[in-house]
Amino acid sequence: MTNNVFQHGSTAGMRIHVLPTKAFKTFAISLYAGVPLEEGTVTSTALVPFVLRRGTAAYPETTQFRERLEELYGAGFGFDVYKRGDYQIVQFRMDTINDSFVQSKESLLGESFAFLGEVLTRPALENGSFRSSYVATERETVRKKLEAIVNDKIRYAAERCIEVMCEDEPFRLHPLGQRSDLDGITPDNLYKSYQDWLNGAILDLYVVGDTTPEEVEQLVKRHFGRNSSETGQYSSRFTPVTVSGVRTVEEKLDVNQGKLNMGLRTSITYKDDNYASALMYNGILGGYPHSKLFVNVREKESLAYYASSRYDGHKGIGTIQSGIESQNYGKAVDIIRKQLDELKAGNISDLELSQTKAMIRNLLSEIQDSAFELISFDFNRQLSGKERTALELLDQVEGTGAEDVKAAAETFHLDTIYFLTGQKEE
């Protein structure tokens, strides 16, 4: 594994991260815009990129917008909206072919920057605000995405477990916002929200490809005319939550299969030196097919259709997801809690350790093969303020023993049990 190191700088109120490399035939461009997760702004912030992708001042019709991408030799453009810790992140992505592989008069990197700068800072307008038809259509797009969560009961149960567990924290909010807010969003107030968002967001621009930080800096100055000269900074808003007792919530919906989800709190986050131990803990608990949850709950006891765990290193939360027959609820809870106790007791086999290390090693190695994965890994550094390369993290994982995993396990405390079960006939 090579140590791919980004070169960092800033200009025009934006942090710039460039990885000069000839390893890829394309340029990967990623722009992250982060703001605090807040009830009053979460839905409008989520809606903004949906409207921005419909058209710009130069390409106001959606067909023109798409044709322009085709002219750039089929450049890819997309976006995501998600949360990291208590921040809501909008990520725009472009990938465009390296100039040396095509006969183009213009620099494709330069043209891609011009396009992305246009999308972000010069949207299609009518009467001084967003086009009403675009806002109306994209409001429905977001509404359907939020409604789809309710229809996907596995996702719904996972979201509800977080909502219950974090009811007094911004993290309870879904990154796409709340359906109840959508009807109140107009072209005028959304345009105002967009301006506030653009001026207030922490902006990180990444480029991976055959370029230099100097070239990227010039392109940013030319195509992202932001008034701000100040670059924002993510502050660690993490404060460990003390678990005083386990809260149990049961909900009934029309489901054939019960969804048993559990939420755990830990004091270990991405920026901590023992982050690798928490990764190993999650891997042994339920991150992979050889994990304790999969083997003991699903295979040995045949209690679950699926059983796995996740660890959010920016929020300090672990979650367990399982699908069970509703009558097996008590038994499933007992066996899952037994796996948590086994880890706290340090009952971890050499095979579990070596298999988990192999899985994490594969994941960290795969990062090197994808420009966007390299970007995503480095962005964790910007969010957390922790300097750690993939190679350093791998070394820490390789050096993790059963005692380290046990110590990590002792910081994970069960906070919430959420059970979604079928409607019982009266």
Side-chain angles (χ1 to χ4, degrees):
M1 191 191 290
T2 54
N3 232 343
N4 285 307
V5 180
F6 282 86
Q7 297 176 29
H8 307 283
S10 65
T11 189
M14 187 183 289
R15 297 190 293 192
I16 296 170
H17 319 277
V18 182
L19 179 57
T21 175
K22 290 183 165 66
F24 303 104
K25 290 184 177 174
T26 57
F27 293 109
I29 305 166
S30 222
L31 177 69
Y32 294 90
V35 291
L37 259 176
E38 284 170 359
E39 189 137 11
T41 58
V42 63
T43 313
S44 55
T45 297
L47 183 54
V48 161
F50 286 89
V51 175
L52 295 183
R53 65 144 181 207
R54 293 298 303 273
T56 68
Y59 314 104
E61 302 301 327
T62 306
T63 48
Q64 295 171 317
F65 185 92
R66 289 180 184 148
E67 280 164 6
R68 179 60 186 144
L69 288 168
E70 284 305 313
E71 287 166 11
L72 297 175
Y73 293 86
F77 171 81
F79 70 90
D80 277 317
V81 186
Y82 48 85
K83 60 185 175 185
R84 289 287 180 272
D86 290 336
Y87 283 96
Q88 183 182 18
I89 311 283
V90 177
Q91 178 193 8
F92 295 95
R93 291 181 314 279
M94 277 194 81
D95 60 296
T96 186
I97 199 157
N98 188 329
D99 297 324
S100 58
F101 293 99
V102 289
Q103 299 290 313
S104 173
K105 291 189 196 122
E106 306 291 336
S107 152
L108 286 177
L109 182 63
E111 292 295 309
S112 298
F113 264 80
F115 183 83
L116 190 56
E118 174 97 6
V119 169
L120 193 70
T121 63
R122 291 181 289 284
L125 302 178
E126 65 182 12
N127 306 322
S129 67
F130 283 131
R131 282 191 167 191
S132 54
S133 60
Y134 290 171
V135 173
T137 309
E138 298 309 321
R139 243 187 355 222
E140 290 314 300
T141 304
V142 173
R143 193 191 309 276
K144 283 182 180 140
K145 283 181 180 291
L146 289 167
E147 283 169 356
I149 296 167
V150 183
N151 299 329
D152 178 347
K153 295 302 185 280
I154 293 176
R155 270 180 75 200
Y156 174 77
E159 292 289 344
R160 284 290 297 130
C161 183
I162 291 292
E163 277 177 23
V164 170
M165 183 170 159
C166 303
E167 66 178 4
D168 299 323
E169 300 163 66
F171 196 72
R172 76 184 184 284
L173 296 166
H174 191 279
L176 285 179
Q178 298 164 303
R179 279 184 294 171
S180 56
D181 294 342
L182 287 166
D183 289 336
I185 293 177
T186 65
D188 286 342
N189 64 27
L190 185 63
Y191 186 62
K192 168 84 171 62
S193 297
Y194 152 75
Q195 291 174 307
D196 293 343
W197 167 77
L198 188 60
N199 292 324
I202 302 166
L203 295 183
D204 285 277
L205 182 90
Y206 280 86
V207 183
V208 173
D210 190 6
T211 182
T212 63
E214 293 73 26
E215 182 183 20
V216 170
E217 216 164 285
Q218 289 308 312
L219 289 169
V220 167
K221 283 179 185 164
R222 194 175 315 150
H223 300 295
F224 291 88
R226 278 229 312 174
N227 300 331
S228 171
S229 57
E230 301 240 333
T231 52
Q233 199 81 25
Y234 289 99
S235 62
S236 177
R237 308 168 87 200
F238 177 74
T239 38
V241 175
T242 307
V243 178
S244 51
V246 179
R247 182 166 24 166
T248 302
V249 171
E250 182 181 298
E251 274 187 2
K252 292 188 174 70
L253 280 178
D254 187 14
V255 291
N256 298 326
Q257 182 195 99
K259 309 283 181 264
L260 172 59
N261 287 56
M262 297 185 181
L264 302 100
R265 302 270 191 180
T266 174
S267 55
I268 302 174
T269 60
Y270 189 88
K271 69 176 187 296
D272 291 307
D273 291 337
N274 51 354
Y275 172 69
S277 302
L279 272 188
M280 286 289 292
Y281 166 83
N282 178 64
I284 294 168
L285 173 63
Y288 305 110
H290 66 267
S291 306
K292 287 185 185 292
L293 289 176
F294 193 88
V295 170
N296 293 295
V297 185
R298 187 173 182 271
E299 296 198 331
K300 283 188 184 168
E301 296 288 338
S302 299
L303 276 176
Y305 300 97
Y306 61 90
S308 64
S309 70
R310 294 195 189 113
Y311 166 54
D312 184 330
H314 291 292
K315 184 61 183 165
I317 279 179
T319 52
I320 294 169
Q321 305 79 33
S322 64
I324 60 170
E325 293 296 335
S326 292
Q327 67 268 23
N328 291 334
Y329 168 80
K331 200 173 175 191
V333 168
D334 288 345
I335 293 179
I336 291 171
R337 292 185 86 147
K338 185 167 187 280
Q339 308 318 307
L340 299 174
D341 292 341
E342 288 283 301
L343 278 156
K344 282 192 166 116
N347 293 333
I348 300 154
S349 70
D350 289 343
L351 185 60
E352 284 173 323
L353 280 171
S354 63
Q355 285 180 316
T356 304
K357 285 177 183 179
M359 297 302 275
I360 295 173
R361 190 185 308 124
N362 287 345
L363 283 172
L364 289 172
S365 297
E366 283 168 13
I367 287 172
Q368 312 303 310
D369 302 328
S370 160
F372 285 107
E373 289 292 339
L374 287 167
I375 289 170
S376 181
F377 187 89
D378 192 84
F379 183 59
N380 284 332
R381 190 181 81 86
Q382 304 305 323
L383 276 170
S384 64
K386 176 69 177 177
E387 298 272 354
R388 187 198 287 119
T389 65
L391 203 53
E392 286 165 343
L393 180 56
L394 180 58
D395 284 345
Q396 289 165 6
V397 166
E398 298 287 11
T400 302
E403 280 301 312
D404 302 308
V405 178
K406 178 180 185 290
E410 286 165 358
T411 73
F412 279 83
H413 302 289
L414 184 58
D415 180 291
T416 301
I417 297 174
Y418 171 84
F419 185 46
L420 179 64
T421 182
Q423 309 269 18
K424 291 190 174 66
E425 290 183 19
E426 296 301 324

